[in-house]
Amino acid sequence: MDPVANVVVERNGAEARMRFIGRWTSDQAAAVEAGASKLTAEAQGAERVLLDLSAVERLDTLGAWVLDRARSEIVARGQEAGFVGLDEPKRILLHEVAYHEFGLKAPVQHSAVVDILSDVGGTVVGAGRDLVGGVSFLGSLVAAFGRMLVNPRRFRITSMVFHLEAVGFRSVPIITLISFLVGCIVAQQGIFQLRRFGATPFVVDLIGILTLRELGVLLTSIMIAGRSGSAFTAEIGSMKMREEIDALRVMGLDPIEVLVAPRILALIVALPILTFLSNLAGLFGGGVVSWIYGGISQEVFLGRLRSAIAFNTFMVGIIKAPFMALVIGMIACIEGMAVKGSAESLGRQVTSSVVKAIFMVIVVDGLFAMFFASINY
């Protein structure tokens, strides 16, 4: 059996020869570290240190790295040190696992004001790039829709139906539940506040107008952005990581037509339907709480609701839905296409997709609110 790692020191004036013997391998880690410590201690005072590996029976990456680390420590003290007695395998191994000391760079001192301005500038530039990329992507999407209108056989109806089921049908339970609960909460808080002024029946106006114009479509869009938008980003991002999108291009297929168009069309069709169901669930929740907490019967609730809302109240939320679906779908697909070749990138883009989609949904809702207020609709 090969002897364990050890060091034999030979002195010749200002020169010290360190002869290594035995196995310098990972199974002898303790002996290897002890030998390296002995090497650096015995090399003290020598001007030139020769590390002789001719008697080493076995050497692996651990032993080579520890030896080269010891050599680096000796050189750092101002002494001359080098390996001798190397055969070709040992030379290659020492070269490949050469020790490098990684030092931390001294932090650069900046003014806090400069850092804040730099961050703001970077955010503005990033937002500008996102805007330009979004407009370019929208142009590609419109061009793809144009090609499908000219040649309907290019449209993938099966893919659209599949995504319509995933986005629409499977989202109904969670969206109706959330809308019902939010309707209950709005009604409860409205009753408690209006009761102080003797205006409890006006809670019906509050629930009807707020749900149909804002809450229904906003809650639905946020839920779809978190549920389906993130799924779109993850699906397309996974295909990008596995180079399946490049394979589609090699086969002469347009990824916009194959992957993006069916998903966005499914969203545009599903979101108005889900908004309608969300409106019903929110009104139902408000009606239940109004009856329990406010003593407003179903007949009174429905009668006052009929007088409080009009057709345009209902249409405001429905008109917003397709535009919010387009925004959610575009952001989800853009972020999916931006995924690089790592799982970290996929997670980062999925997070970015959800955050950007929810932010843009609220922005679009605000823009529509100002638009409808300006035309008195």
Side-chain angles (χ1 to χ4, degrees):
M1 186 175 180
D2 297 331
V4 298
N6 199 0
V7 182
V8 177
V9 183
E10 298 177 357
R11 288 276 188 171
N12 185 11
E15 181 181 280
R17 177 180 288 268
M18 307 294 181
R19 294 182 63 251
F20 300 95
I21 59 176
R23 304 194 319 273
W24 288 72
T25 53
S26 57
D27 61 327
Q28 301 292 327
V32 167
E33 286 291 346
S37 300
K38 180 180 178 181
L39 164 64
T40 53
E42 293 291 343
Q44 291 279 2
E47 296 180 3
R48 186 162 180 256
V49 180
L50 300 179
L51 309 178
D52 188 354
L53 273 63
S54 58
V56 172
E57 299 293 338
R58 296 178 63 187
L59 182 69
D60 64 3
T61 53
L62 172 69
W65 185 82
V66 171
L67 287 174
D68 198 61
R69 183 191 65 186
R71 182 197 60 81
S72 300
E73 293 174 358
I74 294 172
V75 171
R77 296 199 303 239
Q79 299 169 271
E80 182 183 349
F83 291 105
V84 295
L86 297 176
D87 54 19
E88 189 64 14
K90 293 175 185 175
R91 186 190 63 78
I92 294 174
L93 185 58
L94 285 166
H95 174 75
E96 293 297 329
V97 302
Y99 173 78
H100 298 284
E101 185 173 357
F102 298 96
L104 295 176
K105 293 183 178 179
V108 180
Q109 298 295 329
H110 292 294
S111 169
V113 176
V114 172
D115 289 340
I116 293 174
L117 293 177
S118 176
D119 292 340
V120 171
T123 303
V124 172
V125 171
R129 289 173 180 168
D130 289 342
L131 178 61
V132 172
V135 173
S136 174
F137 191 84
L138 179 61
S140 301
L141 184 62
V142 171
F145 283 144
R147 291 193 296 269
M148 287 186 288
L149 287 174
V150 173
N151 186 3
R153 289 181 298 178
R154 300 173 71 103
F155 179 64
R156 299 175 179 268
I157 184 67
T158 304
S159 178
M160 178 186 169
V161 172
F162 171 79
H163 291 297
L164 188 59
E165 179 193 6
V167 172
F169 181 74
R170 297 185 182 277
S171 300
V172 170
I174 184 64
I175 287 177
T176 52
L177 176 61
I178 294 296
S179 299
F180 173 81
L181 294 176
V182 171
C184 293
I185 293 169
V186 171
Q188 183 195 38
Q189 294 301 313
I191 289 171
F192 287 166
Q193 299 302 319
L194 294 173
R195 182 178 290 168
R196 296 186 300 174
F197 306 100
T200 302
F202 284 98
V203 75
V204 181
D205 302 59
L206 172 67
I207 296 169
I209 296 174
L210 185 61
T211 300
L212 295 181
R213 291 183 70 99
E214 300 294 339
L215 276 184
V217 64
L218 197 58
L219 286 173
T220 304
S221 300
I222 290 174
M223 291 297 297
I224 290 297
R227 183 184 182 276
S228 301
S230 60
F232 288 175
T233 303
E235 291 165 2
I236 296 175
S238 297
M239 296 182 68
K240 185 75 179 298
M241 290 172 59
R242 294 194 295 262
E243 300 182 352
E244 295 177 16
I245 294 178
D246 295 332
L248 287 175
R249 292 193 176 98
V250 170
M251 290 187 293
L253 300 174
D254 185 2
I256 301 295
E257 294 181 12
V258 177
L259 302 175
V260 177
R263 286 175 165 83
I264 291 182
L265 280 176
L267 274 176
I268 291 174
V269 173
L271 200 57
I273 300 173
L274 292 173
T275 299
F276 174 71
L277 296 176
S278 175
N279 291 339
L280 293 181
L283 292 175
F284 180 68
V288 170
V289 173
S290 298
W291 175 47
I292 295 174
Y293 283 90
I296 302 173
S297 65
Q298 296 92 327
E299 294 79 8
V300 174
F301 183 89
L302 292 175
R304 190 164 186 89
L305 181 65
R306 190 180 302 113
S307 63
I309 64 174
F311 182 70
N312 68 308
T313 311
F314 167 74
M315 286 305 298
V316 165
I318 300 300
I319 291 171
K320 294 176 185 178
F323 294 93
M324 292 186 174
L326 178 63
V327 169
I328 293 169
M330 283 184 54
I331 291 175
C333 295
I334 289 172
E335 295 298 325
M337 292 289 188
V339 171
K340 307 299 181 184
S342 66
E344 179 186 3
S345 173
L346 179 62
R348 183 170 56 248
Q349 298 306 135
V350 169
T351 303
S352 177
S353 169
V354 175
V355 172
K356 289 181 180 179
I358 293 176
F359 173 77
M360 287 305 301
V361 160
I362 296 174
V363 170
V364 170
D365 185 71
L367 293 175
F368 269 107
M370 292 187 293
F371 171 72
F372 287 130
S374 66
I375 63 175
N376 198 27
Y377 187 71

